[in-house]
């Protein structure tokens, strides 16, 4: 049996990486591969975060000594997340385990470009020490292949997919999952809602997530957006109820890899309006199972919302295609089978 150490944020943490790890914890089951999960980060004060990091190092060393570890699978993004994971790359090398770096960061390219030439060389050196890089889209595969010499493989995120499409085409609730920030297009969406005016006042727009809450609430109040609510962070047990009652999901981001929010909503047959960036076009097919726009194009965003709210038939057709697309390529079972094969071949 192959023993794999998986390192990343605690599965109960906020964010897409934690959701991916939670899916591994709940669903990955193999007679040939055993995954040992180590949480290296969790929300809290700086001392708590430092303790989580040091504890993860101790757990890593204990497992590496007491088990014959074959692979270290490290989840990371950019900035501090990447620099913290360098320690585990070095430890894996000491214990002669193969190292996979699973890149989730949608802004890694910006992060890399903002580093000094000396740090850029250090980052490339770390990437070249890896046995494999995992990315979420073809665009990111090309990026890392041009940046370093390590083999790169695309492994898409995956979600639980209901057997039957549960979409509620009569709902009046429109949702967006993710941090409430300019980068996620939150203010572009607020601008589009304002431009729609009273025409679609019966529809409630709910922004689920953390982030720039105070400024967003101020914007909502100043523009008298009475049909907009900030729903806060959603725990996993709450999400099912929300997904069962959402008409549309809107994520007009400026930077993304392959958002779990899009996969989760499409798995429930919810049509998406999103942007033509990162790995999103791999799953959202424009005017087939959703609508894609350019980041920052608030006029087209407004038109897309109006189009789908006006056309029940189009929503229903997109819903069926969205559910089928995720079921065919992004289901948990299909993804776990790919991971088991990957681990075995590495």
């Amino acid at each position: 049996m192959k023993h794999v150490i998986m390192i990343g944020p605690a599965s109960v943490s906020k964010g897409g990486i934690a959701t991916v790890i939670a899916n591994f914890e709940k669903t990955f089951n193999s007679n040939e591969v055993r995954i040992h999960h180590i949480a290296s980060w969790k929300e809290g004060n700086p001392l708590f975060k430092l303790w989580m990091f040091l504890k993860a190092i101790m757990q890593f060393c204990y497992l590496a000594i007491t088990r014959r570890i074959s692979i270290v699978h490290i989840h990371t993004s950019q900035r501090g997340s990447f620099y913290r994971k360098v320690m585990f790359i070095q430890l894996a090398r000491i214990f002669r385990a193969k190292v996979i770096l699973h890149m989730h960061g949608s802004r890694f390219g910006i992060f890399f470009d903002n580093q000094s030439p000396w740090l850029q060389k250090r980052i490339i050196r770390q990437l070249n020490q890896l046995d494999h890089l995992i990315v979420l889209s073809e665009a990111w595969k090309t990026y890392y292949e041009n940046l370093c010499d390590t083999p790169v493989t695309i492994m898409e995120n995956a979600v639980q997919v209901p057997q039957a499409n549960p979409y509620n085409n009569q709902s009046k609730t429109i949702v967006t999952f993710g941090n409430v920030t300019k980068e996620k297009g939150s203010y572009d969406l607020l601008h589009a809602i304002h431009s729609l005016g009273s025409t679609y006042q019966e529809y409630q727009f709910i922004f689920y997530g953390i982030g720039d809450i105070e400024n967003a609430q101020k914007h909502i109040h100043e523009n008298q957006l009475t049909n907009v609510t900030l729903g806060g962070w959603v725990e996993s047990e709450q999400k099912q109820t929300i997904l069962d009652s959402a008409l549309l999901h809107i994520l007009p981001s400026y930077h993304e890899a392959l958002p779990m929010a899009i996969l989760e909503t499409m798995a429930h047959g919810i049509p998406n309006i999103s942007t033509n960036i990162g790995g999103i076009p791999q799953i959202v097919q424009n005017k087939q199972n959703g609508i894609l726009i350019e980041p920052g194009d608030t006029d087209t965003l407004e038109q897309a919302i109006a189009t789908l709210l006006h056309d029940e038939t189009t929503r229903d057709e997109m819903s069926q295609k969205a559910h089928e697309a995720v079921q065919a390529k992004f289901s948990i079972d299909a993804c776990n089978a790919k991971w088991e094969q990957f681990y075995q071949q590495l």
Side-chain angles (χ1 to χ4, degrees):
M1 173 177 286
K2 281 196 171 184
H3 288 270
V4 178
I5 294 179
M6 181 173 287
I7 299 168
S11 58
V12 294
S13 299
K14 298 177 174 67
I17 302 179
T19 303
V20 171
I21 292 173
N23 285 337
F24 270 102
E25 289 183 347
K26 294 174 184 176
T27 67
F28 187 87
N29 185 26
S30 168
N31 294 324
E32 304 299 328
V33 177
R34 182 178 176 186
I35 297 179
H36 306 266
H37 296 272
I38 296 178
S40 62
W41 186 90
K42 190 178 179 182
E43 288 90 354
N45 62 50
L47 279 177
F48 177 76
K49 291 177 182 177
L50 177 60
W51 162 242
M52 287 292 297
F53 180 68
L54 295 175
K55 185 172 74 168
I57 291 173
M58 291 185 286
Q59 290 175 317
F60 182 100
C61 293
Y62 174 78
L63 280 172
I65 291 169
T66 59
R67 303 283 179 142
R68 188 177 180 181
I69 299 299
S70 303
I71 299 168
V72 178
H73 181 166
I74 304 171
H75 295 267
T76 192
S77 56
Q78 57 265 325
R79 298 192 297 271
S81 175
F82 178 81
Y83 286 129
R84 287 193 301 272
K85 301 307 169 37
V86 167
M87 172 67 76
F88 294 102
I89 295 172
Q90 298 307 315
L91 284 172
R93 285 296 174 215
I94 291 172
F95 288 103
R96 298 184 179 180
K98 293 191 174 181
V99 188
I100 303 167
L101 200 59
H102 197 150
M103 306 298 295
H104 297 266
S106 62
R107 294 174 60 88
F108 189 90
I110 296 172
F111 155 72
F112 179 82
D113 290 343
N114 287 336
Q115 306 307 299
S116 67
W118 180 81
L119 275 175
Q120 288 181 346
K121 289 179 182 177
R122 291 291 297 266
I123 291 169
I124 294 171
R125 189 178 307 145
Q126 292 298 325
L127 294 177
N128 283 333
Q129 289 184 23
L130 304 168
D131 293 283
H132 220 95
L133 269 167
I134 298 297
V135 298
L136 304 179
S137 70
E138 190 65 47
W140 281 113
K141 183 176 190 292
T142 301
Y143 173 83
Y144 285 107
E145 285 178 337
N146 290 329
L147 187 65
C148 65
D149 299 325
T150 299
V152 184
T153 295
I154 300 170
M155 296 285 271
E156 297 91 351
N157 290 333
V159 291
Q160 296 279 13
V161 184
Q163 192 63 35
N165 184 1
Y167 181 57
N168 178 6
N169 203 358
Q170 302 306 310
S171 172
K172 299 295 183 182
T173 303
I174 299 164
V175 300
T176 178
F177 290 108
N179 288 343
V180 181
T181 62
K182 181 178 179 180
E183 180 183 282
K184 290 289 185 181
S186 303
Y187 293 96
D188 291 342
L189 179 54
L190 289 172
H191 177 85
I193 296 168
H194 183 261
S195 296
L196 287 169
S198 59
T199 307
Y200 300 100
Q201 192 66 30
E202 74 270 26
Y203 293 94
Q204 185 71 24
F205 293 81
I206 307 179
F207 290 60
Y208 290 106
I210 57 176
D212 193 15
I213 301 300
E214 185 176 341
N215 284 334
Q217 189 63 65
K218 181 180 178 182
H219 185 100
I220 292 167
H221 177 74
E222 288 177 350
N223 289 278
Q224 300 181 348
L225 302 178
T226 56
N227 62 335
V228 177
T229 302
L230 300 180
W233 182 257
V234 178
E235 301 296 341
S236 57
E237 59 269 18
Q238 300 172 277
K239 189 172 286 187
Q240 185 62 49
T241 302
I242 295 168
L243 291 171
D244 286 342
S245 60
L247 184 71
L248 301 175
H249 176 251
I250 305 175
L251 188 67
S253 296
Y254 286 74
H255 305 280
E256 289 288 356
L258 183 60
M260 290 295 291
I262 287 181
L263 294 179
E264 288 175 329
T265 50
M266 288 180 66
H268 283 73
I270 301 166
N272 270 255
I273 300 172
S274 193
T275 44
N276 188 25
I277 58 168
I280 294 174
Q282 289 177 213
I283 181 63
V284 179
Q285 303 298 313
N286 189 35
K287 298 183 180 179
Q288 298 297 313
N289 59 20
I291 295 178
L292 293 177
I293 65 170
E294 293 298 319
D297 188 348
T298 55
D299 289 340
T300 305
L301 176 59
E302 177 191 343
Q303 293 167 13
I305 296 170
T307 295
L308 290 186
L309 293 184
H310 178 71
D311 194 337
E312 181 178 334
T313 301
T314 296
R315 290 199 308 268
D316 192 60
E317 292 172 352
M318 285 186 174
S319 171
Q320 294 301 324
K321 291 176 181 177
H323 179 260
E324 290 168 4
V326 177
Q327 194 170 50
K329 191 175 180 182
F330 298 92
S331 70
I332 287 286
D333 290 342
C335 182
N336 284 344
K338 286 173 66 176
W339 272 113
E340 181 173 19
Q341 183 180 30
F342 180 82
Y343 287 140
Q344 292 281 41
Q345 293 177 349
L346 188 64

